[in-house]
Amino acid sequence: MKKIIISILILLSIISFANPNVNKPWNYSFNPALMDYGTRNFIDVGGDVNLVFIQPFMSFGDLFKESVEIDFNKIYDNLDGNNLKMLLNADVMAYGKLHIWFASYAKTAGIYSNTKIGLPNDLIKLLSYGNVEDGQMVDLNGEGVINSNIIFESSDYVSFQGKNSIFGLAFTNFYPISILRSTINFKNTNDMENATMNIDYEINGHMYSSLKSLESLISDEYYGVSIEEDILNTLKDSAGMRVNLGYINKNGKWGLSLNDIVLKPADVKYDYTLTATGAIVVDNMNVTTDNGTPVIEKSDELVNREYPEAPVDLPMNVTFFKTFDMLFNPTPYIQYFFGKGLSWGINFDGNLLFIPFWLDLSNKIDYWSLNTGFGLNLHIVDINVSAESNSIDFGDVFKFNNFSFKINFAAGI
């Protein structure tokens, strides 16, 4: 019995060993001083791939099924008269870090995107219960939105370590590859006498960009610079700049930072219009469709816009975290976005020999998130994989009805 107790204590001491690894769900963007928390002490290179998809159609388990059934009745019942909201975030980032004595320098480059879709409530009603109420066919209509940001960022991090503290500073150049603002108009009309039903939809919007070469993706008549060259030129000539300031107390294991202080907004010069129309006609059980090809056209005149245009587009925020020396190192943290609201969560992590693991529960303002994962850390090389459940409602976050994943890989000495 004594041997069992000793073995359990040894196992728990290994599991609860602190894992000061940058590959936690919150990283440099949370506090620039965190860049000094890593597994390698000299050179570190790596990257991140992150995908978050929140929607009511598929669960994490559905990815492993041969077929998936979609219950639109259940989806509509849960809307309570609101539009159907979906969120998609897709990010990719690469970084390199050099640490010498008491100072560290890191360079990152990445593309970050977030898309919000709101489908009209009456459209989901038509797909679920149809357009019949009390034995009568009714007309349905509504308006939704498709908003999307695709942002390029390049950051330079510098941090300095003292005996009991770390100071971090990050300068980030950024500009929008694409900012889409569009509406979806849906209309269903019925002609009882002629037994016909008409369904029409229309998408209208504008897409703004700092890149001239975006035109090459939609036109065969573009003869300007390549996208690769344009990205570098725009980073030098038209990019915005913001700064992050961070502090970490190593003894108390707490940190504070002020992030996204915009020193200069990015120039946005190019404007594109987006239109798409379509129709479905049901005539005596015969279905006819007319789906027009989406049309994207570039404006001949340059626009004079900026990103961010409003503080809520890139809100300044303040963060705080505190790590407790307990089993699984609980770390509660908060992030307050001025003009937007409070995001908060708690992270648990540890090492089982050379296998780091973590669990993170957080409120992202727009949704709840549960992130859990593990990795393989051989010091010179490590890779971490995590799965994430996201939900508008807190009670559903533990069901993994939505899914996302993050992969981090790194190498160095």
Side-chain angles (χ1 to χ4, degrees), residues 31-36 104 156-161 165-171 243-248 256-259:
N31 185 326
L34 281 171
M35 65 169 291
D36 261 325
S104 295
D156 293 276
Y157 291 83
V158 179
S159 69
F160 303 94
Q161 287 206 36
S165 59
I166 304 174
F167 294 92
L169 179 67
F171 288 96
V243 63
N244 293 8
L245 308 169
Y247 167 79
I248 292 178
L256 182 70
S257 74
L258 182 61
N259 303 321

Side-chain angles (χ1 to χ4, degrees), residues 259-278:
N259 303 321
D260 295 336
I261 306 170
V262 177
L263 304 179
K264 173 186 174 295
D267 296 327
V268 182
K269 302 177 182 178
Y270 306 101
D271 176 23
Y272 300 80
T273 58
L274 168 66
T275 58
T277 59

Side-chain angles (χ1 to χ4, degrees), residues 175-186:
Y175 61 81
I177 296 175
S178 171
I179 298 177
L180 174 65
R181 298 292 182 265
S182 62
T183 59
I184 309 171
N185 291 290
F186 156 78

Side-chain angles (χ1 to χ4, degrees), residues 288-309:
T288 304
T289 62
D290 180 16
N291 296 319
T293 302
V295 177
I296 301 177
E297 295 181 334
K298 179 179 176 295
S299 173
D300 293 332
E301 297 183 1
L302 298 180
V303 296
N304 185 20
R305 301 177 71 100
E306 295 180 338
Y307 177 83
E309 287 188 314

Side-chain angles (χ1 to χ4, degrees), residues 55-91:
Q55 40 70 45
F57 305 111
M58 295 178 61
S59 67
F60 188 77
D62 290 334
L63 297 177
F64 306 98
K65 296 180 180 179
E66 293 184 359
S67 61
V68 178
E69 295 184 2
I70 299 177
D71 188 346
F72 279 103
N73 288 28
K74 184 178 179 180
I75 293 172
Y76 177 77
D77 292 341
N78 291 332
L79 293 178
D80 294 327
N82 299 312
N83 285 354
L84 173 61
K85 296 180 179 180
M86 294 182 288
L87 301 175
L88 173 63
N89 297 339
D91 311 323

Side-chain angles (χ1 to χ4, degrees), residues 184-369:
I184 309 171
N185 291 290
F186 156 78
K187 187 175 182 180
N188 161 228
T189 56
N190 307 280
D191 185 345
M192 294 292 293
E193 294 183 359
N194 297 310
T196 61
M197 179 177 70
N198 300 284
I199 301 173
D200 300 290
Y201 72 84
E202 185 177 14
I203 300 176
N204 291 291
H206 281 267
M207 182 169 62
Y208 307 99
S209 176
S210 294
L211 294 177
K212 177 179 176 58
S213 59
L214 195 65
E215 184 181 357
S216 65
L217 302 179
I218 62 173
S219 173
D220 294 331
E221 299 179 357
Y222 173 76
Y223 302 102
V225 298
S226 65
I227 288 184
E228 296 80 5
E229 184 180 351
D230 198 15
I231 286 176
L232 296 178
N233 292 340
T234 304
L235 186 63
K236 179 178 62 176
D237 300 330
S238 303
M241 176 177 284
R242 69 178 192 267
V243 63
N244 293 8
L245 308 169
Y247 167 79
I248 292 178
N249 184 291
K250 292 192 290 185
N251 284 346
K253 291 187 176 182
W254 60 269
L256 182 70
S257 74
L258 182 61
N259 303 321
D260 295 336
I261 306 170
V262 177
L263 304 179
K264 173 186 174 295
D267 296 327
V268 182
K269 302 177 182 178
Y270 306 101
D271 176 23
Y272 300 80
T273 58
L274 168 66
T275 58
T277 59
I280 301 175
V281 179
V282 181
D283 186 358
N284 289 317
M285 303 305 292
N286 294 318
V287 180
T288 304
T289 62
D290 180 16
N291 296 319
T293 302
V295 177
I296 301 177
E297 295 181 334
K298 179 179 176 295
S299 173
D300 293 332
E301 297 183 1
L302 298 180
V303 296
N304 185 20
R305 301 177 71 100
E306 295 180 338
Y307 177 83
E309 287 188 314
V312 72
D313 292 333
L314 186 60
M316 184 169 63
N317 59 90
V318 59
T319 74
F320 176 81
F321 74 89
K322 165 69 177 175
T323 298
F324 293 92
D325 289 323
M326 299 168 57
L327 186 63
F328 303 126
N329 308 298
T331 303
Y333 58 92
I334 60 174
Q335 187 166 16
Y336 179 73
F337 296 87
F338 293 95
K340 188 175 181 181
L342 180 68
S343 173
W344 56 272
I346 184 169
N347 183 87
F348 301 90
D349 66 34
N351 269 342
L352 179 58
L353 296 177
F354 48 81
I355 301 177
F357 58 89
W358 63 85
L359 185 145
D360 183 276
L361 176 65
S362 60
N363 181 303
K364 304 289 189 181
I365 302 179
D366 292 328
Y367 60 95
W368 288 89
S369 174

